[in-house]
Amino acid sequence: MKRILLLGGVTEALAIARTLGPQHIYSLAGIGRVPTDLRCQVRVGGFGGAEGLAQYIREQGVDLLLDATHPYAAQISQNAATAARLSGIACWALRRPAWQPQPGDDWREVSGWAELIETLKPFRRPLFTLGREPLQHLDEIPAEQFWTLRALDVYPGNERCEVIGARGPFLIDDERALFESRNIDVLISKNSGSSATEPKLEVARERGVPVIVLKRPVLPGVDREFGSVADVLEALSMPGIR
Ligand code: NAP
């Protein structure tokens, strides 16, 4: 039986962690909530880069690394692939399929903050759903724009920005009310591929609101890649794995 180190931070990772027994380890960065009702071991905080992760793998006798982190958490995914190679163990990854634009969608893909701000120029009432990054730019908001910024927790805004703290899953009627009450004319989103946050795209489509989509980072190659929790659990149920 293998000892699994599961790297988490998203709902699917928690679903996998719930199936793991006491010899396995579930690792979290420490940004979100830490579950207290799991049978597996839970550890919190960074490892100190790929080298630190490789050392942890050796010390703990881990023999399978499972990367189920967020598709935009590119650093830890890179570290995972490197550490597995350094330690001579396999790295598997759950990679959520990306959302695809549907008929009626007006998506504008951008590669980073500078391109995003350029693309945002014609708009007045953006809704940012990128997490905390826009908080660093509150002093740069043009006079003609008012930003609504949704993050996991609430933070101070300013006279040109309201910050809303909210955690998904989001219901379509609540998203409709948010767009309506703030008169949102453009949505800014990662392509997280999560059903928990997808209703905002449906509302943008209904209202003819364009979506500025931050492109996904390129992630490293791994030994096995899965598109769903069910596929991961099936692979883990194979003889010799656990
Ligand atoms: P990141 O840039 O890829 O990682 C930054 C550092 O955080 C890593 O180098 C590592 O520190 C530590 N880290 C990340 N995930 C870890 C884990 N599962 N266990 C232990 N250490 C971890 O990641 P991020 O974008 O800041 O995201 C942080 C966490 O939040 C990730 O676990 C991710 O799954 C989750 N999350 C991210 C997003 C997003 O949009 N980026 C959204 C929802 C959830 P060391 O180098 O010191 O090991």
Side-chain angles (χ1 to χ4, degrees):
M1 190 187 297
K2 292 192 182 295
R3 183 167 208 209
I4 299 166
L5 172 58
L6 169 65
L7 303 174
V10 294
T11 315
E12 293 94 327
L14 181 58
I16 297 168
R18 290 200 183 286
T19 73
L20 298 179
Q23 76 274 28
H24 303 298
I25 308 165
Y26 179 43
S27 174
L28 291 165
I31 293 165
R33 295 189 185 118
V34 178
T36 53
D37 59 346
L38 300 181
R39 287 187 306 132
C40 65
Q41 298 162 43
V42 180
R43 68 161 301 285
V44 180
F47 298 95
E51 294 284 348
L53 179 53
Q55 189 182 340
Y56 181 84
I57 287 168
R58 284 191 297 272
E59 283 169 2
Q60 296 293 322
V62 171
D63 33 24
L64 176 62
L65 187 55
L66 179 49
D67 173 16
T69 57
H70 192 270
Y72 285 73
Q75 185 62 60
I76 187 69
S77 291
Q78 185 57 59
N79 292 355
T82 305
R85 188 169 35 75
L86 290 173
S87 329
I89 65 166
C91 184
W92 291 3
L94 172 59
R95 305 262 199 251
R96 266 187 203 157
W99 290 319
Q100 300 301 325
Q102 303 296 312
D105 279 341
D106 175 2
W107 281 18
R108 305 166 191 197
E109 283 202 317
V110 297
S111 300
W113 188 259
E115 197 184 346
L116 192 167
I117 289 302
E118 196 57 33
T119 310
L120 197 59
K121 277 187 176 160
F123 301 100
R124 298 288 172 266
R125 308 271 312 179
L127 170 60
F128 283 84
T129 58
L130 298 176
R132 286 174 301 173
E133 189 187 348
L135 289 169
Q136 301 163 27
H137 302 278
L138 296 191
D139 295 339
E140 301 155 29
I141 303 176
E144 66 278 9
Q145 287 182 354
F146 184 88
W147 294 7
T148 302
L149 203 161
R150 183 164 70 192
L152 287 181
D153 299 301
V154 74
Y155 297 92
N158 65 19
E159 70 285 355
R160 311 226 55 76
C161 177
E162 178 192 12
V163 183
I164 299 170
R167 289 164 192 260
F170 297 105
L171 301 175
I172 183 112
D173 282 341
D174 294 338
E175 297 295 60
R176 286 189 181 116
L178 178 64
F179 277 64
E180 178 69 28
S181 63
R182 270 65 176 193
N183 198 18
I184 297 303
D185 63 357
V186 65
L187 169 67
I188 298 110
S189 178
K190 293 177 180 171
N191 190 335
S192 83
S194 165
S195 56
T197 53
E198 202 170 356
K200 64 188 172 187
L201 297 179
E202 206 174 321
V203 176
R205 191 175 308 130
E206 284 173 3
R207 299 176 69 92
V209 164
V211 186
I212 301 177
V213 179
L214 189 62
K215 280 185 196 154
R216 281 189 171 200
V218 177
L219 298 178
V222 288
D223 297 292
R224 286 189 73 177
E225 201 172 302
F226 304 91
S228 70
V229 171
D231 288 348
V232 172
L233 295 183
E234 192 186 335
L236 292 180
S237 70
M238 293 297 160
I241 302 291
R242 63 170 175 152

